[in-house]
Amino acid sequence: MMRAHPEASILAGGTHTVAAMIEKKIKPSLLIDISRVGALKRFEIGNETVVVGALTTHTTLMEAFADRSQAFKSFAQSYTSPAVANIATVGGSLALKTSTEDLITVLLVHDAILRIYRAEGVVEATLDRYLGDEPGRVLIEEVKFLNPATISATFEKIALGISYIPLISAAVRLDQNEKGGWICRIATSHRRGEIPGRIHEAESIIERAGPSDETITRAAEAVMSTIDPASDLMAPSWYRKRVASVLVKRHLLKLWSGVVG
Amino acid sequence: MRQIRFTVNGGRYEVEVRDNERLVDVLRNKLGFKSVKEGCGVGDCGLCIVLVGGRPVNSCLALASRMDGEEILTVEGLGSAEHLHPLQRSYIEVGASQCGYCIPAALLVTHSLLSRKSRPSADEVRLALRSVLCRCGSYLRFEEAVKVVSGDE
């Protein structure tokens, strides 16, 4: 249908598309309503991974994981509007590829892998790679990510008091594997412009040498020097860089003390 | 156009709606539930919130065509002028209603919360009320009203 109707807008939860139609930002001549496609509603929690269909709502994720994961707990507590969470979907958030979608930052540190329909066929891509792709028409079918209850991850957002739109947010994961090596994931809401992404440069500092006061400081500095956030009405780029660095340092120290302690 | 059947405040309705017609417009203009207010129209203010299957939903973001088979509650179904819901009485007792514009949404959000958790914490009440923008700043009174109903005060 997407190939046959390139002018159509896909309608999942509607939180973005309906609002954009009202504001006349988009004027689709055709809406493809996918809300009743059963294949997009998968929800399976395995021992190590979770697979959710694109139509899974944010509320469903929060209810499943907020009690078992610091990252999802913080995601739920800093959510803009619980009423919106009842209809906002995982697929819709990921399709937007924007800094306002906190879920993207959270899922980045859970090693999320997307199953995507493109014009050329079905592909699997890591969320990090998908975010780096050029914009194009895609339909996300499902997302697989590490079971939040099995990893140590945190999320924090600095936001305006009323809107809860992030000035900057960061998610961090720090775990040890069976061989004693370190697994580190660091993501921010503004990796490049307004697009979230992982900061591999900072992750590798921790993974190579392990966490210490010195490596954590270096990783935080790498965050500041690597990300290239947009400047806008809410915050300048330099401010976002500094705050991202502070958040990452704070959470690496917190997770390290948790692992060691 | 398509025909949808749904329940509003316990009454069954069959309505013809356009594919891009919003729930707020159907509830207010076609069915006459005037407690459903439209503020921003883009999901920010929450004044248009109704309960769909017991959960708060911004009716300005929800297309009516998707409501086939759903159960919807507006504040008209919460209580009547003669028999106010305990939460409505509580709002009056603590003086929560100022200009009144957001009160239907605030009532529904807190009603939904109380139906899932009889004694919510202050943080839970505040998180739930984040869905509703009250320009009069009555949030502490809303919280107080919930405490009265839940027996915490």
Side-chain angles (χ1 to χ4, degrees):
Chain A
M1 278 188 81
M2 287 164 62
R3 271 198 291 268
H5 301 284
E7 78 287 4
S9 284
I10 294 173
L11 192 63
T15 54
H16 173 74
T17 304
V18 175
M21 282 163 45
I22 298 301
E23 291 185 309
K24 301 196 186 325
K25 289 178 179 169
I26 59 168
K27 293 179 182 175
S29 56
L30 186 70
L31 288 172
I32 299 177
D33 185 353
I34 59 171
S35 64
R36 292 186 189 264
V37 180
L40 302 180
K41 293 181 178 174
R42 192 175 168 193
F43 190 82
E44 293 174 15
I45 303 178
N47 288 336
E48 293 180 1
T49 58
V50 175
V51 181
V52 300
L55 291 177
T56 304
T57 65
H58 290 187
T59 296
T60 303
L61 281 188
M62 291 172 193
E63 289 179 349
F65 303 120
D67 288 342
R68 295 186 272 176
S69 156
Q70 277 294 326
F72 275 89
K73 184 179 182 183
S74 179
F75 168 64
Q77 288 177 338
S78 59
Y79 200 90
T80 307
S81 159
V84 172
N86 286 332
I87 51 175
T89 62
V90 173
S93 279
L94 301 182
L96 288 174
K97 286 189 180 181
T98 183
S99 58
T100 55
E101 299 303 311
D102 298 341
L103 185 61
I104 297 178
T105 314
V106 172
L107 288 180
L108 276 167
V109 301
H110 287 74
D111 289 352
I113 296 171
L114 279 54
R115 189 173 152 84
I116 305 167
Y117 287 95
R118 294 184 191 277
E120 61 270 23
V122 181
V123 295
E124 284 199 350
T126 65
L127 174 56
D128 194 39
R129 182 171 175 182
Y130 159 80
L131 292 167
D133 288 347
E134 291 302 311
R137 285 174 62 78
V138 298
L139 175 65
I140 297 164
E141 182 188 4
E142 62 186 30
V143 186
K144 181 165 78 176
F145 55 93
L146 294 172
N147 186 331
T150 66
I151 66 170
S152 304
T154 58
F155 170 76
E156 187 174 353
K157 172 165 77 172
I158 302 296
L160 293 178
I162 293 175
S163 71
Y164 284 88
I165 293 170
L167 300 181
I168 187 84
S169 69
V172 177
R173 176 195 172 197
L174 186 64
D175 282 306
Q176 271 189 295
N177 61 27
E178 304 92 19
K179 294 176 182 173
W182 290 92
I183 302 166
C184 180
R185 298 286 181 270
I186 296 170
T188 66
S189 56
H190 297 70
R191 170 70 177 81
R192 178 169 51 90
E194 292 179 350
I195 301 175
R198 276 172 58 185
I199 299 106
H200 297 273
E201 296 84 345
E203 294 173 357
S204 63
I205 292 170
I206 302 296
E207 290 191 339
R208 276 203 305 266
S212 67
D213 287 330
E214 187 263 332
T215 56
I216 288 174
T217 299
R218 278 203 292 130
E221 287 169 356
V223 169
M224 188 155 51
S225 62
T226 305
I227 66 172
D228 183 22
S231 288
D232 58 28
L233 195 62
M234 295 204 302
S237 180
W238 67 263
Y239 177 80
R240 288 193 161 110
K241 286 184 181 192
R242 285 169 189 244
V243 176
S245 174
V246 169
L247 292 180
V248 168
K249 184 170 184 177
R250 177 190 297 168
H251 286 277
L252 279 172
L253 285 169
K254 184 177 166 187
L255 289 168
W256 181 38
S257 67
V259 172
V260 175
Chain B
M1 299 289 276
R2 71 174 65 192
Q3 200 82 5
I4 61 162
R5 292 188 185 89
F6 59 6
T7 304
V8 184
N9 302 332
R12 295 169 72 84
Y13 292 85
E14 196 168 331
V15 193
E16 198 168 58
V17 299
R18 295 189 309 277
D19 286 341
N20 63 352
E21 199 165 358
R22 303 174 307 164
L23 179 59
V24 62
D25 298 321
V26 171
L27 290 173
R28 269 190 75 85
N29 303 333
K30 285 190 172 166
L31 302 182
F33 294 105
K34 299 294 186 186
S35 74
V36 187
K37 310 286 202 299
E38 180 170 5
C40 67
V42 291
D44 287 337
C45 72
L47 302 186
C48 64
I49 283 175
V50 298
L51 302 190
V52 178
R55 289 189 181 272
V57 165
N58 298 70
S59 62
C60 72
L61 295 179
L63 293 182
S65 58
R66 291 177 160 193
M67 293 297 136
D68 195 40
E70 296 286 3
E71 285 190 19
I72 294 167
L73 182 72
T74 73
V75 94
E76 286 91 343
L78 204 56
S80 64
E82 297 75 28
H83 300 285
L84 292 176
H85 186 278
L87 194 55
Q88 289 174 307
R89 281 204 301 273
S90 181
Y91 268 57
I92 292 170
E93 282 165 17
V94 305
S97 183
Q98 299 298 314
C99 83
Y101 207 76
C102 73
I103 295 300
L107 277 167
L108 291 172
V109 162
T110 45
H111 173 63
S112 172
L113 176 66
L114 284 165
S115 67
R116 279 176 284 125
K117 193 160 191 177
S118 58
R119 299 185 76 164
S121 68
D123 282 346
E124 287 168 328
V125 176
R126 290 177 183 196
L127 178 60
L129 283 168
R130 203 182 288 166
S131 298
V132 182
L133 185 60
C134 171
R135 292 295 300 271
C136 303
S138 295
Y139 292 108
L140 293 177
R141 298 287 174 91
F142 298 157
E143 198 180 316
E144 201 181 331
V146 172
K147 278 184 188 169
V148 169
V149 171
S150 64
D152 276 352
E153 195 167 272

